[in-house]
PDB file of all heavy atoms in Angstrom:
ATOM      1  N   VAL H   1     -12.199  -1.643 -11.002  1.00 97.00           N
ATOM      2  CA  VAL H   1     -12.459  -2.646  -9.969  1.00 97.00           C
ATOM      3  C   VAL H   1     -11.274  -2.748  -9.009  1.00 97.00           C
ATOM      4  O   VAL H   1     -11.453  -2.899  -7.798  1.00 97.00           O
ATOM      5  CB  VAL H   1     -12.748  -4.019 -10.616  1.00 97.00           C
ATOM      6  CG1 VAL H   1     -12.854  -5.116  -9.560  1.00 97.00           C
ATOM      7  CG2 VAL H   1     -14.031  -3.955 -11.441  1.00 97.00           C
ATOM      8  N   LEU H   2     -10.067  -2.649  -9.544  1.00 97.00           N
ATOM      9  CA  LEU H   2      -8.871  -2.812  -8.726  1.00 97.00           C
ATOM     10  C   LEU H   2      -8.499  -1.558  -7.945  1.00 97.00           C
ATOM     11  O   LEU H   2      -7.802  -1.650  -6.927  1.00 97.00           O
ATOM     12  CB  LEU H   2      -7.693  -3.214  -9.609  1.00 97.00           C
ATOM     13  CG  LEU H   2      -7.782  -4.592 -10.274  1.00 97.00           C
ATOM     14  CD1 LEU H   2      -6.620  -4.785 -11.243  1.00 97.00           C
ATOM     15  CD2 LEU H   2      -7.802  -5.707  -9.243  1.00 97.00           C
ATOM     16  N   THR H   3      -8.959  -0.404  -8.392  1.00 96.00           N
ATOM     17  CA  THR H   3      -8.453   0.838  -7.793  1.00 96.00           C
ATOM     18  C   THR H   3      -9.504   1.685  -7.083  1.00 96.00           C
ATOM     19  O   THR H   3      -9.150   2.483  -6.210  1.00 96.00           O
ATOM     20  CB  THR H   3      -7.775   1.720  -8.866  1.00 96.00           C
ATOM     21  OG1 THR H   3      -8.717   2.024  -9.906  1.00 96.00           O
ATOM     22  CG2 THR H   3      -6.570   1.006  -9.463  1.00 96.00           C
ATOM     23  N   VAL H   4     -10.771   1.559  -7.446  1.00 95.00           N
ATOM     24  CA  VAL H   4     -11.810   2.424  -6.874  1.00 95.00           C
ATOM     25  C   VAL H   4     -12.425   1.754  -5.643  1.00 95.00           C
ATOM     26  O   VAL H   4     -12.909   0.622  -5.719  1.00 95.00           O
ATOM     27  CB  VAL H   4     -12.908   2.738  -7.915  1.00 95.00           C
ATOM     28  CG1 VAL H   4     -14.005   3.593  -7.295  1.00 95.00           C
ATOM     29  CG2 VAL H   4     -12.297   3.438  -9.128  1.00 95.00           C
ATOM     30  N   ARG H   5     -12.418   2.443  -4.539  1.00 92.00           N
ATOM     31  CA  ARG H   5     -12.968   1.903  -3.296  1.00 92.00           C
ATOM     32  C   ARG H   5     -14.484   1.728  -3.401  1.00 92.00           C
ATOM     33  O   ARG H   5     -15.179   2.586  -3.936  1.00 92.00           O
ATOM     34  CB  ARG H   5     -12.659   2.831  -2.118  1.00 92.00           C
ATOM     35  CG  ARG H   5     -11.202   2.836  -1.679  1.00 92.00           C
ATOM     36  CD  ARG H   5     -11.012   3.812  -0.545  1.00 92.00           C
ATOM     37  NE  ARG H   5      -9.634   3.814  -0.066  1.00 92.00           N
ATOM     38  CZ  ARG H   5      -9.189   3.049   0.928  1.00 92.00           C
ATOM     39  NH1 ARG H   5     -10.033   2.234   1.547  1.00 92.00           N
ATOM     40  NH2 ARG H   5      -7.936   3.113   1.326  1.00 92.00           N
ATOM     41  N   ARG H   6     -14.943   0.622  -2.867  1.00 91.00           N
ATOM     42  CA  ARG H   6     -16.381   0.327  -2.742  1.00 91.00           C
ATOM     43  C   ARG H   6     -17.125   0.405  -4.077  1.00 91.00           C
ATOM     44  O   ARG H   6     -18.303   0.732  -4.125  1.00 91.00           O
ATOM     45  CB  ARG H   6     -17.032   1.255  -1.711  1.00 91.00           C
ATOM     46  CG  ARG H   6     -16.565   0.974  -0.287  1.00 91.00           C
ATOM     47  CD  ARG H   6     -17.224   1.902   0.720  1.00 91.00           C
ATOM     48  NE  ARG H   6     -16.717   3.273   0.595  1.00 91.00           N
ATOM     49  CZ  ARG H   6     -15.597   3.694   1.159  1.00 91.00           C
ATOM     50  NH1 ARG H   6     -14.867   2.873   1.881  1.00 91.00           N
ATOM     51  NH2 ARG H   6     -15.207   4.951   1.006  1.00 91.00           N
ATOM     52  N   LEU H   7     -16.444   0.106  -5.151  1.00 95.00           N
ATOM     53  CA  LEU H   7     -17.112   0.067  -6.456  1.00 95.00           C
ATOM     54  C   LEU H   7     -17.903  -1.228  -6.581  1.00 95.00           C
ATOM     55  O   LEU H   7     -17.390  -2.315  -6.300  1.00 95.00           O
ATOM     56  CB  LEU H   7     -16.076   0.139  -7.581  1.00 95.00           C
ATOM     57  CG  LEU H   7     -16.613   0.024  -9.011  1.00 95.00           C
ATOM     58  CD1 LEU H   7     -17.488   1.228  -9.349  1.00 95.00           C
ATOM     59  CD2 LEU H   7     -15.471  -0.088 -10.010  1.00 95.00           C
ATOM     60  N   ASP H   8     -19.145  -1.128  -6.997  1.00 94.00           N
ATOM     61  CA  ASP H   8     -19.972  -2.308  -7.225  1.00 94.00           C
ATOM     62  C   ASP H   8     -19.599  -2.896  -8.590  1.00 94.00           C
ATOM     63  O   ASP H   8     -19.766  -2.239  -9.622  1.00 94.00           O
ATOM     64  CB  ASP H   8     -21.456  -1.933  -7.203  1.00 94.00           C
ATOM     65  CG  ASP H   8     -22.370  -3.153  -7.243  1.00 94.00           C
ATOM     66  OD1 ASP H   8     -21.932  -4.232  -7.685  1.00 94.00           O
ATOM     67  OD2 ASP H   8     -23.543  -3.010  -6.838  1.00 94.00           O
ATOM     68  N   ILE H   9     -19.097  -4.127  -8.590  1.00 96.00           N
ATOM     69  CA  ILE H   9     -18.629  -4.742  -9.835  1.00 96.00           C
ATOM     70  C   ILE H   9     -19.737  -4.859 -10.872  1.00 96.00           C
ATOM     71  O   ILE H   9     -19.480  -4.899 -12.079  1.00 96.00           O
ATOM     72  CB  ILE H   9     -17.997  -6.129  -9.540  1.00 96.00           C
ATOM     73  CG1 ILE H   9     -17.119  -6.592 -10.707  1.00 96.00           C
ATOM     74  CG2 ILE H   9     -19.076  -7.156  -9.214  1.00 96.00           C
ATOM     75  CD1 ILE H   9     -16.330  -7.846 -10.407  1.00 96.00           C
ATOM     76  N   ARG H  10     -20.983  -4.850 -10.418  1.00 96.00           N
ATOM     77  CA  ARG H  10     -22.109  -4.933 -11.354  1.00 96.00           C
ATOM     78  C   ARG H  10     -22.198  -3.694 -12.239  1.00 96.00           C
ATOM     79  O   ARG H  10     -22.837  -3.728 -13.296  1.00 96.00           O
ATOM     80  CB  ARG H  10     -23.400  -5.165 -10.585  1.00 96.00           C
ATOM     81  CG  ARG H  10     -23.533  -6.600 -10.068  1.00 96.00           C
ATOM     82  CD  ARG H  10     -24.615  -6.764  -9.039  1.00 96.00           C
ATOM     83  NE  ARG H  10     -24.204  -6.199  -7.754  1.00 96.00           N
ATOM     84  CZ  ARG H  10     -24.671  -6.614  -6.577  1.00 96.00           C
ATOM     85  NH1 ARG H  10     -25.547  -7.596  -6.522  1.00 96.00           N
ATOM     86  NH2 ARG H  10     -24.265  -6.040  -5.463  1.00 96.00           N
ATOM     87  N   GLU H  11     -21.556  -2.604 -11.822  1.00 95.00           N
ATOM     88  CA  GLU H  11     -21.511  -1.399 -12.648  1.00 95.00           C
ATOM     89  C   GLU H  11     -20.516  -1.544 -13.796  1.00 95.00           C
ATOM     90  O   GLU H  11     -20.530  -0.747 -14.739  1.00 95.00           O
ATOM     91  CB  GLU H  11     -21.113  -0.189 -11.798  1.00 95.00           C
ATOM     92  CG  GLU H  11     -22.083   0.158 -10.679  1.00 95.00           C
ATOM     93  CD  GLU H  11     -21.566   1.330  -9.863  1.00 95.00           C
ATOM     94  OE1 GLU H  11     -20.678   2.056 -10.354  1.00 95.00           O
ATOM     95  OE2 GLU H  11     -22.038   1.513  -8.720  1.00 95.00           O
ATOM     96  N   VAL H  12     -19.650  -2.540 -13.710  1.00 97.00           N
ATOM     97  CA  VAL H  12     -18.567  -2.697 -14.675  1.00 97.00           C
ATOM     98  C   VAL H  12     -18.822  -3.856 -15.631  1.00 97.00           C
ATOM     99  O   VAL H  12     -18.433  -3.809 -16.801  1.00 97.00           O
ATOM    100  CB  VAL H  12     -17.224  -2.916 -13.938  1.00 97.00           C
ATOM    101  CG1 VAL H  12     -16.061  -2.891 -14.914  1.00 97.00           C
ATOM    102  CG2 VAL H  12     -17.037  -1.866 -12.845  1.00 97.00           C
ATOM    103  N   ILE H  13     -19.481  -4.902 -15.167  1.00 97.00           N
ATOM    104  CA  ILE H  13     -19.747  -6.083 -15.986  1.00 97.00           C
ATOM    105  C   ILE H  13     -20.639  -5.719 -17.164  1.00 97.00           C
ATOM    106  O   ILE H  13     -21.663  -5.044 -17.009  1.00 97.00           O
ATOM    107  CB  ILE H  13     -20.393  -7.192 -15.134  1.00 97.00           C
ATOM    108  CG1 ILE H  13     -19.381  -7.715 -14.101  1.00 97.00           C
ATOM    109  CG2 ILE H  13     -20.899  -8.335 -16.015  1.00 97.00           C
ATOM    110  CD1 ILE H  13     -19.989  -8.658 -13.077  1.00 97.00           C
ATOM    111  N   GLN H  14     -20.244  -6.189 -18.346  1.00 96.00           N
ATOM    112  CA  GLN H  14     -20.984  -5.899 -19.573  1.00 96.00           C
ATOM    113  C   GLN H  14     -21.681  -7.158 -20.092  1.00 96.00           C
ATOM    114  O   GLN H  14     -21.140  -8.256 -20.009  1.00 96.00           O
ATOM    115  CB  GLN H  14     -20.022  -5.387 -20.654  1.00 96.00           C
ATOM    116  CG  GLN H  14     -19.283  -4.122 -20.292  1.00 96.00           C
ATOM    117  CD  GLN H  14     -20.172  -2.905 -20.301  1.00 96.00           C
ATOM    118  OE1 GLN H  14     -21.043  -2.757 -21.173  1.00 96.00           O
ATOM    119  NE2 GLN H  14     -19.971  -2.019 -19.337  1.00 96.00           N
ATOM    120  N   LYS H  15     -22.864  -6.975 -20.640  1.00 96.00           N
ATOM    121  CA  LYS H  15     -23.541  -8.056 -21.344  1.00 96.00           C
ATOM    122  C   LYS H  15     -22.880  -8.259 -22.708  1.00 96.00           C
ATOM    123  O   LYS H  15     -22.311  -7.336 -23.285  1.00 96.00           O
ATOM    124  CB  LYS H  15     -25.023  -7.729 -21.548  1.00 96.00           C
ATOM    125  CG  LYS H  15     -25.822  -7.613 -20.264  1.00 96.00           C
ATOM    126  CD  LYS H  15     -25.976  -8.956 -19.594  1.00 96.00           C
ATOM    127  CE  LYS H  15     -26.846  -8.868 -18.348  1.00 96.00           C
ATOM    128  NZ  LYS H  15     -26.940 -10.181 -17.656  1.00 96.00           N
ATOM    129  N   THR H  16     -22.938  -9.486 -23.212  1.00 95.00           N
ATOM    130  CA  THR H  16     -22.447  -9.763 -24.563  1.00 95.00           C
ATOM    131  C   THR H  16     -23.612 -10.270 -25.414  1.00 95.00           C
ATOM    132  O   THR H  16     -24.723 -10.462 -24.922  1.00 95.00           O
ATOM    133  CB  THR H  16     -21.329 -10.820 -24.551  1.00 95.00           C
ATOM    134  OG1 THR H  16     -21.899 -12.118 -24.285  1.00 95.00           O
ATOM    135  CG2 THR H  16     -20.276 -10.494 -23.495  1.00 95.00           C
ATOM    136  N   ARG H  17     -23.342 -10.491 -26.687  1.00 93.00           N
ATOM    137  CA  ARG H  17     -24.401 -10.993 -27.569  1.00 93.00           C
ATOM    138  C   ARG H  17     -24.792 -12.427 -27.251  1.00 93.00           C
ATOM    139  O   ARG H  17     -25.784 -12.935 -27.769  1.00 93.00           O
ATOM    140  CB  ARG H  17     -23.990 -10.868 -29.035  1.00 93.00           C
ATOM    141  CG  ARG H  17     -22.766 -11.678 -29.445  1.00 93.00           C
ATOM    142  CD  ARG H  17     -22.338 -11.325 -30.864  1.00 93.00           C
ATOM    143  NE  ARG H  17     -21.127 -12.011 -31.288  1.00 93.00           N
ATOM    144  CZ  ARG H  17     -21.098 -13.199 -31.866  1.00 93.00           C
ATOM    145  NH1 ARG H  17     -22.241 -13.854 -32.074  1.00 93.00           N
ATOM    146  NH2 ARG H  17     -19.965 -13.747 -32.236  1.00 93.00           N
ATOM    147  N   PHE H  18     -23.981 -13.080 -26.414  1.00 93.00           N
ATOM    148  CA  PHE H  18     -24.328 -14.421 -25.946  1.00 93.00           C
ATOM    149  C   PHE H  18     -25.038 -14.272 -24.602  1.00 93.00           C
ATOM    150  O   PHE H  18     -24.468 -13.742 -23.645  1.00 93.00           O
ATOM    151  CB  PHE H  18     -23.069 -15.284 -25.798  1.00 93.00           C
ATOM    152  CG  PHE H  18     -22.327 -15.472 -27.091  1.00 93.00           C
ATOM    153  CD1 PHE H  18     -21.233 -14.682 -27.400  1.00 93.00           C
ATOM    154  CD2 PHE H  18     -22.732 -16.430 -28.005  1.00 93.00           C
ATOM    155  CE1 PHE H  18     -20.543 -14.852 -28.594  1.00 93.00           C
ATOM    156  CE2 PHE H  18     -22.060 -16.609 -29.198  1.00 93.00           C
ATOM    157  CZ  PHE H  18     -20.965 -15.812 -29.493  1.00 93.00           C
ATOM    158  N   GLY H  19     -26.254 -14.754 -24.530  1.00 88.00           N
ATOM    159  CA  GLY H  19     -27.098 -14.491 -23.376  1.00 88.00           C
ATOM    160  C   GLY H  19     -26.509 -14.878 -22.037  1.00 88.00           C
ATOM    161  O   GLY H  19     -26.734 -14.194 -21.031  1.00 88.00           O
ATOM    162  N   ASN H  20     -25.746 -15.968 -21.993  1.00 95.00           N
ATOM    163  CA  ASN H  20     -25.225 -16.453 -20.718  1.00 95.00           C
ATOM    164  C   ASN H  20     -23.750 -16.140 -20.502  1.00 95.00           C
ATOM    165  O   ASN H  20     -23.122 -16.691 -19.604  1.00 95.00           O
ATOM    166  CB  ASN H  20     -25.439 -17.967 -20.596  1.00 95.00           C
ATOM    167  CG  ASN H  20     -26.875 -18.296 -20.216  1.00 95.00           C
ATOM    168  OD1 ASN H  20     -27.572 -17.482 -19.625  1.00 95.00           O
ATOM    169  ND2 ASN H  20     -27.321 -19.486 -20.576  1.00 95.00           N
ATOM    170  N   ILE H  21     -23.178 -15.250 -21.337  1.00 97.00           N
ATOM    171  CA  ILE H  21     -21.794 -14.814 -21.136  1.00 97.00           C
ATOM    172  C   ILE H  21     -21.790 -13.325 -20.841  1.00 97.00           C
ATOM    173  O   ILE H  21     -22.204 -12.509 -21.673  1.00 97.00           O
ATOM    174  CB  ILE H  21     -20.902 -15.089 -22.359  1.00 97.00           C
ATOM    175  CG1 ILE H  21     -20.864 -16.576 -22.700  1.00 97.00           C
ATOM    176  CG2 ILE H  21     -19.479 -14.575 -22.097  1.00 97.00           C
ATOM    177  CD1 ILE H  21     -20.037 -16.905 -23.935  1.00 97.00           C
ATOM    178  N   ASP H  22     -21.334 -12.955 -19.648  1.00 97.00           N
ATOM    179  CA  ASP H  22     -21.070 -11.567 -19.315  1.00 97.00           C
ATOM    180  C   ASP H  22     -19.560 -11.378 -19.263  1.00 97.00           C
ATOM    181  O   ASP H  22     -18.803 -12.342 -19.102  1.00 97.00           O
ATOM    182  CB  ASP H  22     -21.686 -11.198 -17.961  1.00 97.00           C
ATOM    183  CG  ASP H  22     -23.208 -11.180 -18.005  1.00 97.00           C
ATOM    184  OD1 ASP H  22     -23.780 -11.192 -19.117  1.00 97.00           O
ATOM    185  OD2 ASP H  22     -23.821 -11.159 -16.917  1.00 97.00           O
ATOM    186  N   LEU H  23     -19.130 -10.127 -19.388  1.00 98.00           N
ATOM    187  CA  LEU H  23     -17.695  -9.883 -19.476  1.00 98.00           C
ATOM    188  C   LEU H  23     -17.289  -8.667 -18.647  1.00 98.00           C
ATOM    189  O   LEU H  23     -17.946  -7.630 -18.685  1.00 98.00           O
ATOM    190  CB  LEU H  23     -17.292  -9.683 -20.943  1.00 98.00           C
ATOM    191  CG  LEU H  23     -15.794  -9.807 -21.230  1.00 98.00           C
ATOM    192  CD1 LEU H  23     -15.555 -10.490 -22.567  1.00 98.00           C
ATOM    193  CD2 LEU H  23     -15.109  -8.448 -21.221  1.00 98.00           C
ATOM    194  N   LEU H  24     -16.218  -8.842 -17.906  1.00 98.00           N
ATOM    195  CA  LEU H  24     -15.581  -7.740 -17.193  1.00 98.00           C
ATOM    196  C   LEU H  24     -14.420  -7.278 -18.064  1.00 98.00           C
ATOM    197  O   LEU H  24     -13.413  -7.980 -18.186  1.00 98.00           O
ATOM    198  CB  LEU H  24     -15.089  -8.217 -15.824  1.00 98.00           C
ATOM    199  CG  LEU H  24     -14.401  -7.198 -14.922  1.00 98.00           C
ATOM    200  CD1 LEU H  24     -15.344  -6.049 -14.595  1.00 98.00           C
ATOM    201  CD2 LEU H  24     -13.935  -7.864 -13.636  1.00 98.00           C
ATOM    202  N   PRO H  25     -14.522  -6.125 -18.708  1.00 97.00           N
ATOM    203  CA  PRO H  25     -13.563  -5.744 -19.744  1.00 97.00           C
ATOM    204  C   PRO H  25     -12.263  -5.157 -19.192  1.00 97.00           C
ATOM    205  O   PRO H  25     -12.162  -4.786 -18.016  1.00 97.00           O
ATOM    206  CB  PRO H  25     -14.330  -4.689 -20.545  1.00 97.00           C
ATOM    207  CG  PRO H  25     -15.261  -4.071 -19.544  1.00 97.00           C
ATOM    208  CD  PRO H  25     -15.641  -5.181 -18.601  1.00 97.00           C
ATOM    209  N   ALA H  26     -11.282  -5.064 -20.086  1.00 97.00           N
ATOM    210  CA  ALA H  26      -9.995  -4.451 -19.759  1.00 97.00           C
ATOM    211  C   ALA H  26      -9.517  -3.629 -20.946  1.00 97.00           C
ATOM    212  O   ALA H  26      -9.960  -3.829 -22.081  1.00 97.00           O
ATOM    213  CB  ALA H  26      -8.958  -5.513 -19.398  1.00 97.00           C
ATOM    214  N   ASN H  27      -8.592  -2.720 -20.667  1.00 96.00           N
ATOM    215  CA  ASN H  27      -7.949  -1.933 -21.709  1.00 96.00           C
ATOM    216  C   ASN H  27      -6.580  -1.487 -21.201  1.00 96.00           C
ATOM    217  O   ASN H  27      -6.129  -1.939 -20.143  1.00 96.00           O
ATOM    218  CB  ASN H  27      -8.821  -0.741 -22.138  1.00 96.00           C
ATOM    219  CG  ASN H  27      -9.222   0.122 -20.950  1.00 96.00           C
ATOM    220  OD1 ASN H  27      -8.390   0.468 -20.105  1.00 96.00           O
ATOM    221  ND2 ASN H  27     -10.503   0.480 -20.871  1.00 96.00           N
ATOM    222  N   MET H  28      -5.924  -0.607 -21.934  1.00 96.00           N
ATOM    223  CA  MET H  28      -4.558  -0.218 -21.599  1.00 96.00           C
ATOM    224  C   MET H  28      -4.452   0.514 -20.250  1.00 96.00           C
ATOM    225  O   MET H  28      -3.351   0.648 -19.701  1.00 96.00           O
ATOM    226  CB  MET H  28      -3.977   0.655 -22.707  1.00 96.00           C
ATOM    227  CG  MET H  28      -3.591  -0.124 -23.950  1.00 96.00           C
ATOM    228  SD  MET H  28      -2.153  -1.191 -23.661  1.00 96.00           S
ATOM    229  CE  MET H  28      -2.028  -2.016 -25.264  1.00 96.00           C
ATOM    230  N   SER H  29      -5.563   0.967 -19.717  1.00 96.00           N
ATOM    231  CA  SER H  29      -5.522   1.616 -18.402  1.00 96.00           C
ATOM    232  C   SER H  29      -5.090   0.644 -17.308  1.00 96.00           C
ATOM    233  O   SER H  29      -4.746   1.068 -16.197  1.00 96.00           O
ATOM    234  CB  SER H  29      -6.884   2.215 -18.055  1.00 96.00           C
ATOM    235  OG  SER H  29      -7.857   1.195 -17.856  1.00 96.00           O
ATOM    236  N   LEU H  30      -5.068  -0.649 -17.620  1.00 96.00           N
ATOM    237  CA  LEU H  30      -4.647  -1.642 -16.643  1.00 96.00           C
ATOM    238  C   LEU H  30      -3.163  -1.470 -16.282  1.00 96.00           C
ATOM    239  O   LEU H  30      -2.740  -1.860 -15.191  1.00 96.00           O
ATOM    240  CB  LEU H  30      -4.914  -3.046 -17.188  1.00 96.00           C
ATOM    241  CG  LEU H  30      -4.894  -4.212 -16.198  1.00 96.00           C
ATOM    242  CD1 LEU H  30      -5.838  -3.991 -15.035  1.00 96.00           C
ATOM    243  CD2 LEU H  30      -5.247  -5.517 -16.922  1.00 96.00           C
ATOM    244  N   ILE H  31      -2.381  -0.888 -17.188  1.00 95.00           N
ATOM    245  CA  ILE H  31      -0.969  -0.621 -16.875  1.00 95.00           C
ATOM    246  C   ILE H  31      -0.880   0.313 -15.675  1.00 95.00           C
ATOM    247  O   ILE H  31      -0.167   0.048 -14.698  1.00 95.00           O
ATOM    248  CB  ILE H  31      -0.245   0.000 -18.087  1.00 95.00           C
ATOM    249  CG1 ILE H  31      -0.269  -0.944 -19.286  1.00 95.00           C
ATOM    250  CG2 ILE H  31       1.194   0.362 -17.726  1.00 95.00           C
ATOM    251  CD1 ILE H  31       0.269  -0.316 -20.560  1.00 95.00           C
ATOM    252  N   ARG H  32      -1.615   1.413 -15.735  1.00 96.00           N
ATOM    253  CA  ARG H  32      -1.608   2.383 -14.650  1.00 96.00           C
ATOM    254  C   ARG H  32      -2.236   1.801 -13.390  1.00 96.00           C
ATOM    255  O   ARG H  32      -1.755   2.047 -12.270  1.00 96.00           O
ATOM    256  CB  ARG H  32      -2.362   3.640 -15.087  1.00 96.00           C
ATOM    257  CG  ARG H  32      -2.429   4.723 -14.015  1.00 96.00           C
ATOM    258  CD  ARG H  32      -1.075   5.328 -13.740  1.00 96.00           C
ATOM    259  NE  ARG H  32      -1.123   6.218 -12.591  1.00 96.00           N
ATOM    260  CZ  ARG H  32      -0.078   6.926 -12.170  1.00 96.00           C
ATOM    261  NH1 ARG H  32       1.089   6.826 -12.809  1.00 96.00           N
ATOM    262  NH2 ARG H  32      -0.184   7.712 -11.130  1.00 96.00           N
ATOM    263  N   ALA H  33      -3.285   1.020 -13.567  1.00 95.00           N
ATOM    264  CA  ALA H  33      -3.961   0.437 -12.406  1.00 95.00           C
ATOM    265  C   ALA H  33      -3.021  -0.470 -11.614  1.00 95.00           C
ATOM    266  O   ALA H  33      -3.026  -0.451 -10.373  1.00 95.00           O
ATOM    267  CB  ALA H  33      -5.195  -0.338 -12.853  1.00 95.00           C
ATOM    268  N   ASN H  34      -2.217  -1.254 -12.309  1.00 94.00           N
ATOM    269  CA  ASN H  34      -1.257  -2.114 -11.621  1.00 94.00           C
ATOM    270  C   ASN H  34      -0.278  -1.293 -10.790  1.00 94.00           C
ATOM    271  O   ASN H  34       0.053  -1.651  -9.658  1.00 94.00           O
ATOM    272  CB  ASN H  34      -0.497  -2.979 -12.627  1.00 94.00           C
ATOM    273  CG  ASN H  34      -1.215  -4.279 -12.949  1.00 94.00           C
ATOM    274  OD1 ASN H  34      -1.234  -5.193 -12.147  1.00 94.00           O
ATOM    275  ND2 ASN H  34      -1.810  -4.342 -14.124  1.00 94.00           N
ATOM    276  N   MET H  35       0.168  -0.183 -11.333  1.00 95.00           N
ATOM    277  CA  MET H  35       1.071   0.695 -10.589  1.00 95.00           C
ATOM    278  C   MET H  35       0.371   1.310  -9.388  1.00 95.00           C
ATOM    279  O   MET H  35       0.934   1.381  -8.287  1.00 95.00           O
ATOM    280  CB  MET H  35       1.610   1.790 -11.523  1.00 95.00           C
ATOM    281  CG  MET H  35       2.449   1.284 -12.672  1.00 95.00           C
ATOM    282  SD  MET H  35       2.885   2.584 -13.851  1.00 95.00           S
ATOM    283  CE  MET H  35       3.763   3.733 -12.794  1.00 95.00           C
ATOM    284  N   ASP H  36      -0.874   1.744  -9.585  1.00 95.00           N
ATOM    285  CA  ASP H  36      -1.614   2.381  -8.496  1.00 95.00           C
ATOM    286  C   ASP H  36      -1.862   1.416  -7.343  1.00 95.00           C
ATOM    287  O   ASP H  36      -1.770   1.799  -6.169  1.00 95.00           O
ATOM    288  CB  ASP H  36      -2.946   2.928  -9.013  1.00 95.00           C
ATOM    289  CG  ASP H  36      -2.770   4.137  -9.923  1.00 95.00           C
ATOM    290  OD1 ASP H  36      -1.665   4.726  -9.920  1.00 95.00           O
ATOM    291  OD2 ASP H  36      -3.723   4.491 -10.640  1.00 95.00           O
ATOM    292  N   VAL H  37      -2.190   0.173  -7.678  1.00 95.00           N
ATOM    293  CA  VAL H  37      -2.428  -0.822  -6.625  1.00 95.00           C
ATOM    294  C   VAL H  37      -1.155  -1.055  -5.824  1.00 95.00           C
ATOM    295  O   VAL H  37      -1.180  -1.123  -4.585  1.00 95.00           O
ATOM    296  CB  VAL H  37      -2.951  -2.143  -7.230  1.00 95.00           C
ATOM    297  CG1 VAL H  37      -3.027  -3.232  -6.157  1.00 95.00           C
ATOM    298  CG2 VAL H  37      -4.329  -1.942  -7.859  1.00 95.00           C
ATOM    299  N   MET H  38      -0.035  -1.174  -6.519  1.00 93.00           N
ATOM    300  CA  MET H  38       1.231  -1.413  -5.835  1.00 93.00           C
ATOM    301  C   MET H  38       1.629  -0.247  -4.927  1.00 93.00           C
ATOM    302  O   MET H  38       2.274  -0.436  -3.889  1.00 93.00           O
ATOM    303  CB  MET H  38       2.337  -1.665  -6.860  1.00 93.00           C
ATOM    304  CG  MET H  38       2.202  -2.982  -7.603  1.00 93.00           C
ATOM    305  SD  MET H  38       2.311  -4.417  -6.511  1.00 93.00           S
ATOM    306  CE  MET H  38       3.995  -4.283  -5.929  1.00 93.00           C
ATOM    307  N   MET H  39       1.226   0.951  -5.278  1.00 94.00           N
ATOM    308  CA  MET H  39       1.578   2.126  -4.486  1.00 94.00           C
ATOM    309  C   MET H  39       0.599   2.388  -3.344  1.00 94.00           C
ATOM    310  O   MET H  39       0.885   3.181  -2.448  1.00 94.00           O
ATOM    311  CB  MET H  39       1.642   3.360  -5.402  1.00 94.00           C
ATOM    312  CG  MET H  39       2.756   3.299  -6.440  1.00 94.00           C
ATOM    313  SD  MET H  39       2.694   4.672  -7.617  1.00 94.00           S
ATOM    314  CE  MET H  39       2.978   6.069  -6.535  1.00 94.00           C
ATOM    315  N   ASP H  40      -0.538   1.727  -3.377  1.00 92.00           N
ATOM    316  CA  ASP H  40      -1.575   1.938  -2.363  1.00 92.00           C
ATOM    317  C   ASP H  40      -1.392   0.939  -1.228  1.00 92.00           C
ATOM    318  O   ASP H  40      -1.792  -0.217  -1.324  1.00 92.00           O
ATOM    319  CB  ASP H  40      -2.954   1.780  -2.999  1.00 92.00           C
ATOM    320  CG  ASP H  40      -4.088   1.994  -2.008  1.00 92.00           C
ATOM    321  OD1 ASP H  40      -3.812   2.389  -0.848  1.00 92.00           O
ATOM    322  OD2 ASP H  40      -5.255   1.774  -2.384  1.00 92.00           O
ATOM    323  N   SER H  41      -0.810   1.395  -0.149  1.00 87.00           N
ATOM    324  CA  SER H  41      -0.572   0.528   1.013  1.00 87.00           C
ATOM    325  C   SER H  41      -1.661   0.665   2.075  1.00 87.00           C
ATOM    326  O   SER H  41      -1.556   0.097   3.156  1.00 87.00           O
ATOM    327  CB  SER H  41       0.791   0.846   1.629  1.00 87.00           C
ATOM    328  OG  SER H  41       0.837   2.203   2.053  1.00 87.00           O
ATOM    329  N   GLN H  42      -2.717   1.401   1.754  1.00 88.00           N
ATOM    330  CA  GLN H  42      -3.772   1.646   2.734  1.00 88.00           C
ATOM    331  C   GLN H  42      -4.770   0.495   2.841  1.00 88.00           C
ATOM    332  O   GLN H  42      -5.500   0.404   3.827  1.00 88.00           O
ATOM    333  CB  GLN H  42      -4.529   2.930   2.367  1.00 88.00           C
ATOM    334  CG  GLN H  42      -3.645   4.169   2.354  1.00 88.00           C
ATOM    335  CD  GLN H  42      -3.000   4.422   3.699  1.00 88.00           C
ATOM    336  OE1 GLN H  42      -3.671   4.450   4.729  1.00 88.00           O
ATOM    337  NE2 GLN H  42      -1.677   4.579   3.693  1.00 88.00           N
TER     338      GLN H  42
END
């Protein structure tokens, strides 16, 4: 979501076992994503 241009967030949001709770997940790739965002001045 933070690094890919024109990404539809609905492609990333996951359903959970609770009907009214959806989740936008994270993992260790967020370390690299933070660096990539900081380096992207465009």
Side-chain angles (χ1 to χ4, degrees):
V1 173
L2 294 174
T3 59
V4 178
R5 288 178 178 268
R6 292 180 289 277
L7 176 66
D8 188 338
I9 198 172
R10 285 166 286 207
E11 298 177 18
V12 188
I13 293 171
Q14 300 288 321
K15 296 291 183 183
T16 73
R17 63 188 177 88
F18 299 98
N20 281 335
I21 301 178
D22 291 346
L23 196 143
L24 180 61
N27 54 47
M28 285 291 177
S29 67
L30 196 55
I31 299 173
R32 179 68 188 183
N34 273 286
M35 297 173 59
D36 290 345
V37 173
M38 291 297 295
M39 295 174 64
D40 180 7
S41 60
Q42 299 300 309

